[in-house]
Amino acid sequence: MQLVAVTVDQNGIIEFCNNFFLSLTNFSKEQVVSKSFMKIFIPEKLRHQLQSKINQAFMQQKSFRCYTTLLQCNENSVKIINWTITYSPALTHHSHSVTLVGEDITSQVLNEDQLLRLSHIVDQSPFGVILTNPEGFVVYVNQTYKKITTMPATKILNKPAQLFKSGLDPALKEAICS
């Protein structure tokens, strides 16, 4: 896993950024170092929230984990970054700074969103749906299937799916699942 890293001073000016950050955002070091992190990379509607967290890190001289925000990249693309914000005290003549180290979670969030949409479709399907694990045991039944079988889900889950596809008499299935 590669992490993006950006260090900003108390005014939000970028002092450092790593190569992965540059690669992800498609900017050059010359385009970002000594520039405003917020103005270049954070959508205007989200700046206040992130700036508050950064200010809090400076004032309380502590770190914050798992702060998620959008990161504007060159060519109008956007990434979703989960940041850890770490306060760094002044070393010699340099000012205090905050380093943001983050993980690009864009594909994870998009996959979770797609999975949520698909699960909603399956759950609302007018057809009975059974999902099994690789061993063939039932791990999920949708609402329609529950209505069709009239059996509580607790009696269906963790049972072999073959049992429900078979032509067994419903009373016999009920007895086996009890």
Side-chain angles (χ1 to χ4, degrees):
M1 167 183 18
Q2 293 189 330
L3 299 173
V4 294
V6 180
T7 300
V8 297
D9 67 13
Q10 287 180 298
N11 297 315
I13 303 301
I14 299 171
E15 295 179 339
F16 164 82
C17 60
N18 69 356
N19 288 333
F20 186 63
F21 178 83
L22 295 171
S23 169
L24 184 72
T25 61
N26 204 22
F27 278 92
S28 69
K29 198 165 260 196
E30 295 75 30
Q31 291 174 298
V32 298
V33 173
S34 301
K35 306 287 190 310
S36 170
F37 176 70
M38 292 294 178
K39 287 181 182 173
I40 296 174
F41 295 105
I42 305 302
E44 191 171 352
K45 291 180 179 181
L46 302 175
R47 289 179 191 162
H48 178 73
Q49 292 173 323
L50 181 57
Q51 189 62 57
S52 293
K53 278 289 182 199
I54 290 172
N55 291 345
Q56 199 174 358
F58 276 114
M59 287 187 288
Q60 297 178 6
Q61 298 183 357
K62 68 181 213 177
S63 299
F64 296 94
R65 292 178 169 242
C66 298
Y67 183 80
T68 303
T69 193
L70 298 179
L71 185 72
Q72 293 177 162
C73 302
N74 222 346
E75 300 159 6
N76 294 323
S77 66
V78 176
K79 300 291 182 182
I80 303 168
I81 307 294
N82 193 17
W83 298 102
T84 296
I85 304 169
T86 305
Y87 170 79
S88 302
L91 301 172
T92 63
H93 65 282
H94 293 296
S95 65
H96 302 276
S97 62
V98 166
T99 300
L100 295 97
V101 176
E103 178 183 4
D104 178 7
I105 60 170
T106 307
S107 61
Q108 176 186 338
V109 169
L110 294 176
N111 288 341
E112 288 172 359
D113 182 60
Q114 185 179 20
L115 185 60
L116 183 63
R117 289 172 195 248
L118 290 172
S119 69
H120 181 72
I121 289 168
V122 168
D123 203 43
Q124 300 301 315
S125 171
F127 303 100
V129 177
I130 296 177
L131 298 178
T132 65
N133 64 14
E135 292 79 31
F137 289 88
V138 177
V139 294
Y140 170 84
V141 292
N142 71 349
Q143 293 297 325
T144 304
Y145 188 85
K146 291 176 192 175
K147 289 176 187 172
I148 292 168
T149 63
T150 67
M151 290 175 63
T154 54
K155 293 190 176 195
I156 300 169
L157 295 175
N158 299 313
K159 302 291 189 271
Q162 286 295 89
L163 177 66
F164 302 101
K165 292 184 350 183
S166 70
L168 284 179
D169 178 87
L172 184 55
K173 284 183 194 177
E174 178 81 35
I176 293 171
C177 292
S178 295

